[in-house]
Amino acid sequence: MTVDSAGDLAPPAPASKEELLVRVARGDRSAFGELYDQIAPRVLGLVKRLLVDHAQSEEVTQEIFLEIWQSATRYESTRGGASTWILTMAHRRAVDRIRSSQAGRDRDTKIGIRDLAVAYDHVAETVEVRIEHERVEKAMNRLTQLQRQAVSLAYYGGFSHSEVADMLQIPLGTVKTRLRDGLIRLRDELGVAS
């Protein structure tokens, strides 16, 4: 305590934030309380300006003071003032929360888009399939009887070239020639580019 000009005892001057941080680093709880009282409104104000949401701002501020308590030993007065160290920590923590929230929203959006049922027009799909089927049927009718028979067995029946040769009792090379010629003709009839 100091004596003022009137001879009365004056309360001691409050400790600086730098002194309080040194004491907090040694585990002094009362110093932590004093530091909290001195800087908490500024920390909350900074965090709230970044996060906007009051509840999240309070939560982040609490995390910041927990971090101050746990990491006060890392504070170096030669590198800057205590307020700067604490407010930099607060800014970083608030920005981390913003990024985390954004990442969560992005993840939810991606999942939502993935799970979104795309409108499916069954009538249009059926019509397209029917029209395509008719085009293929017309093109198949333009093949020779031998080509149509080989293509039908191989592609509609699912038989191998050897099985088609056995079924038609013709050489394998002949089956391959009929299939090749038939497919070329189908491609030309359907207007498919090779």
Side-chain angles (χ1 to χ4, degrees):
M1 295 228 174
T2 59
V3 179
D4 66 8
S5 60
D8 296 329
L9 291 177
S16 71
K17 292 174 191 71
E18 288 76 13
E19 293 169 344
L20 291 172
L21 264 178
V22 170
R23 289 173 42 202
V24 168
R26 290 187 294 227
D28 185 336
R29 291 179 185 210
S30 66
F32 183 74
E34 285 182 53
L35 180 65
Y36 181 88
D37 291 341
Q38 285 186 23
I39 194 102
R42 286 185 65 195
V43 170
L44 180 60
L46 171 65
V47 172
K48 192 171 180 185
R49 196 169 43 239
L50 292 169
L51 296 181
V52 180
D53 182 290
H54 186 74
Q56 272 197 42
S57 299
E58 287 178 340
E59 185 179 320
V60 170
T61 299
Q62 184 178 8
E63 291 171 6
I64 292 162
F65 278 96
L66 178 62
E67 186 176 351
I68 291 168
W69 176 256
Q70 293 172 339
S71 65
T73 55
R74 292 194 314 232
Y75 169 68
E76 296 176 25
S77 60
T78 58
R79 297 184 70 197
S83 294
T84 303
W85 185 73
I86 292 170
L87 293 173
T88 299
M89 186 184 305
H91 185 269
R92 287 182 182 152
R93 182 67 70 130
V95 169
D96 287 347
R97 177 63 66 98
I98 292 168
R99 288 180 180 149
S100 175
S101 295
Q102 184 61 47
R105 282 192 300 274
D106 292 347
R107 186 174 44 254
D108 291 345
T109 299
K110 286 178 184 175
I111 289 171
I113 289 171
R114 183 193 70 204
D115 294 344
L116 179 66
V118 178
Y120 183 73
D121 189 350
H122 293 283
V123 174
E125 180 70 19
T126 303
V127 170
E128 284 182 41
V129 168
R130 186 171 294 145
I131 290 170
E132 194 62 31
H133 178 73
E134 289 172 2
R135 286 185 65 220
V136 171
E137 193 174 321
K138 286 178 186 175
M140 286 287 287
N141 286 334
R142 293 193 178 112
L143 299 178
T144 66
Q145 177 61 29
L146 299 173
Q147 290 171 339
R148 186 172 38 256
Q149 188 179 35
V151 169
S152 294
L153 289 172
Y155 293 98
Y156 289 115
F159 296 105
S160 69
H161 294 176
S162 300
E163 291 171 330
V164 172
D166 289 341
M167 293 170 78
L168 298 177
Q169 298 178 347
I170 57 175
L172 180 60
T174 304
V175 169
K176 290 182 179 185
T177 300
R178 288 180 186 173
L179 285 171
R180 186 195 72 229
D181 292 345
L183 291 176
I184 290 171
R185 192 158 184 193
L186 280 175
R187 182 189 68 208
D188 293 342
E189 291 291 335
L190 293 171
V192 177
S194 55

